[in-house]
Amino acid sequence: MRTLTWRLVAIAVLLVAVTAMAIGAVTTLAMRDTLDARLDADVRDALMRTVGGPGGPRPGGDFGPGQAVGTVTAVVPDAGRTTGQRLAESEDGWPEATPLTDAQLDALTDVTAGDQPVSVDLPGLGSYRVLAADVAGGQVVVGLPGAEAEATVDDLVRLELLATLLGIAAAALVGTLVVRRQLAPLRDVARTAHRVAELPLATGEIDLDERVPERLTDERTEVGQVGSALNTLLDHVENSLAARHRSELQVRQFVADASHELRTPLATIAGYSELARRRPDDEVALRTALTKVDEESQRMTALVEDLLLLARLDAGRPLAQETVDLTSLLLEAVTDARVLAPEHHWRLELPEHAVEVRGDEQRLHQVITNLLTNARKHTPPGTTVTAAANAGGFSVHDDGPGFDAELTERAFERFTRGDRARHREGGVGLGLALVAAIVDALGGQVTLESRPGDTTVTVWLPED
């Protein structure tokens, strides 16, 4: 698997190589065109010096004045034998004319007169640029060697190849250093992710304090965007793990509390059943046993039904969504409360017009009943309890002793009871938990404010 560093460096090197080769190719072509143009101009000048002097072309292809070493001339008559010479450098350093071979003359004979020089390969001499001109009785051919231009181009190509190789090597070295330095922050982010991946996250309370350093979370850069996104993900994971841990603890506590609450009526039923078995002829004992068994059975039934309702709500079971007359429910519930607890002062505050909300009528009646029952059971006689309807919900207020401060925040948790602050008359601590679960399932909200002499539970519900 090729790393990002390797790929970036390879791309940089490839770009340098392609660019260098493109520049080299253009430079070489431009140089060759320039040298060829200059050589062609020299060939034309050489031809003019040969045929343009007084009296026309020189006999036998003699050179005119000012010709360069390496120049070849040939006279091709309309009839007769072709003759030609080459201007070479003698041993003493002076130029001298040497005759051309038959093969060389044959190559020059094939050249036709024209305006542009052409390339001809002369045996033993190499490539020449030659130009022919018609004269009286035949034509004259003049040529200059192209070896020098070719050598210049070859030297340029070799220099370009060397420069390209050096450029590639430099690009690979510098690119590796630069890319490694630029990707160092990304490696720091990766190390943070690896440290988090090595943490045991399956069970228990998780201490997830690993974060990408702040210097690597600047969202104006790509690495900063990755670092910031990873920190956001870690925050979400930490919150989710904390919520999962709290849920696990609540489930364990819920099971323990439910088992404890069920154990008491079961023990009572077992005890009275044993009493009835041992004293089958005692009618008083039998009636007492049956009465207690019936009472405890009803208590367990109510507890199990509450637990089943909570389980259904936790599973997301939808409740009915219909128009409910909240004022009618409050009136009915307060009327029932007056009958059950005449020693309390019950007040009902209703607006001039009926308050209608969206919800499940049966469950809303259960919410109101639970709140009034909670106020009745956990306040002393003489307490004033006020149920008030308002736009979008209702509230239940009492002037009893209130909740303990440490219980206020968890009053809606399951099996929470304010035994020290209120007078307990039965109950297992599911009343307010059911209220919160039902209201949440209906899309509403419930809050509690409590201090001695002033306790208010407020319920907001979606309006119709």
Side-chain angles (χ1 to χ4, degrees):
M1 182 65 70
R2 296 183 176 92
T3 64
L4 179 59
T5 300
W6 188 95
R7 284 179 290 178
L8 291 176
V9 172
I11 292 173
V13 169
L14 180 61
L15 289 176
V16 170
V18 171
T19 302
M21 287 188 292
I23 294 174
V26 172
T27 302
T28 301
L29 292 176
M31 177 64 75
R32 179 176 290 277
D33 288 342
T34 300
L35 294 177
D36 287 346
R38 183 180 299 175
L39 182 59
D40 289 348
D42 292 341
V43 171
R44 291 188 182 94
D45 291 342
L47 179 63
M48 290 298 297
R49 284 193 291 269
T50 300
V51 301
R58 298 176 180 274
D62 285 348
F63 299 99
Q67 299 286 27
V69 174
T71 304
V72 296
T73 62
V75 176
V76 183
D78 293 336
R81 183 172 179 274
T82 300
T83 59
Q85 304 178 81
R86 174 175 176 268
L87 188 62
E89 187 175 354
S90 64
E91 294 181 358
D92 57 5
W94 293 95
E96 64 177 355
T98 59
L100 297 176
T101 64
D102 292 339
Q104 294 167 349
L105 290 173
D106 291 339
L108 293 175
T109 302
D110 295 334
V111 178
T112 59
D115 296 331
Q116 295 295 329
V118 296
S119 295
V120 175
D121 188 21
L122 299 181
L125 296 180
S127 178
Y128 265 70
R129 294 287 289 180
V130 299
L131 182 63
D134 291 327
V135 294
Q139 68 177 11
V140 175
V141 182
V142 176
L144 290 174
E148 183 177 354
E150 291 180 357
T152 302
V153 172
D154 291 342
D155 291 341
L156 178 61
V157 170
R158 283 192 291 269
L159 182 61
E160 289 172 345
L161 289 176
L162 178 60
T164 299
L165 293 176
L166 292 177
I168 291 174
L173 178 61
V174 176
T176 301
L177 295 177
V178 172
V179 171
R180 284 184 177 276
R181 182 169 182 175
Q182 294 299 317
L183 293 183
L186 189 60
R187 288 193 291 271
D188 292 339
V189 174
R191 280 192 288 268
T192 300
H194 282 303
R195 288 195 297 270
V196 172
E198 293 172 356
L199 294 176
L201 305 178
T203 58
E205 186 174 4
I206 308 301
D207 184 14
L208 189 61
D209 57 357
E210 288 286 350
R211 291 293 185 277
V212 177
E214 186 176 355
R215 61 183 175 83
L216 301 179
T217 58
D218 186 356
E219 295 197 1
R220 292 175 297 180
T221 65
E222 290 79 1
V223 174
Q225 292 172 6
V226 174
S228 178
L230 180 58
N231 277 352
T232 301
L233 175 63
L234 292 177
D235 290 339
H236 177 69
V237 171
E238 184 179 31
N239 293 334
S240 300
L241 292 175
R244 185 205 66 186
H245 183 62
R246 288 194 300 270
S247 178
E248 290 176 351
L249 294 179
Q250 289 175 353
V251 169
R252 295 191 188 104
Q253 187 64 37
F254 180 79
V255 172
D257 291 339
S259 300
H260 175 75
E261 295 297 338
L262 288 172
R263 184 173 58 184
T264 300
L266 286 173
T268 301
I269 291 174
Y272 279 99
S273 298
E274 180 66 18
L275 175 64
R277 187 181 64 82
R278 291 184 178 182
R279 300 168 65 179
D281 298 329
D282 189 338
E283 294 183 2
V284 175
L286 286 174
R287 283 197 300 272
T288 302
L290 289 175
T291 300
K292 296 300 293 183
V293 167
D294 181 62
E295 290 176 353
E296 296 302 323
S297 296
Q298 293 181 11
R299 181 183 175 190
M300 283 195 303
T301 299
L303 174 60
V304 170
E305 288 179 351
D306 288 345
L307 292 176
L308 286 175
L309 176 58
L310 285 172
R312 292 190 187 102
L313 294 175
D314 289 343
R317 291 278 292 273
L319 298 178
Q321 295 290 331
E322 56 189 9
T323 301
V324 179
D325 186 350
L326 190 59
T327 55
S328 176
L329 292 181
L330 288 171
L331 178 60
E332 180 182 351
V334 171
T335 301
D336 293 341
R338 284 172 178 160
V339 175
L340 293 174
E343 67 279 5
H344 282 67
H345 302 296
W346 300 94
R347 297 178 57 190
L348 180 61
E349 297 179 357
L350 299 175
E352 295 181 0
H353 303 286
V355 176
E356 294 183 342
V357 294
R358 296 288 297 175
D360 188 312
E361 183 174 0
Q362 180 181 357
R363 295 308 172 197
L364 284 176
H365 184 273
Q366 185 176 4
V367 168
I368 297 171
T369 301
N370 282 4
L371 292 177
L372 295 179
T373 301
N374 188 72
R376 172 175 61 83
K377 288 184 176 182
H378 301 297
T379 58
T383 299
T384 299
V385 181
T386 303
N390 50 68
F394 68 94
S395 63
V396 175
H397 173 271
D398 70 69
D399 56 5
F403 285 79
D404 283 344
E406 65 272 14
L407 292 178
T408 302
E409 294 184 358
R410 56 187 185 90
F412 295 103
E413 295 180 4
R414 297 162 192 185
F415 297 105
T416 298
R417 292 188 292 245
D419 296 340
R420 291 175 294 174
R422 294 173 175 242
H423 301 281
R424 179 170 179 259
E425 297 179 8
V428 295
L430 291 179
L432 291 182
L434 279 170
V435 168
I438 293 172
V439 172
D440 182 68
L442 292 174
Q445 185 179 4
V446 58
T447 61
L448 169 66
E449 296 178 0
S450 181
R451 57 179 180 271
D454 184 10
T455 298
T456 303
V457 179
T458 304
V459 176
W460 286 278
L461 295 166
E463 295 187 48
D464 186 37

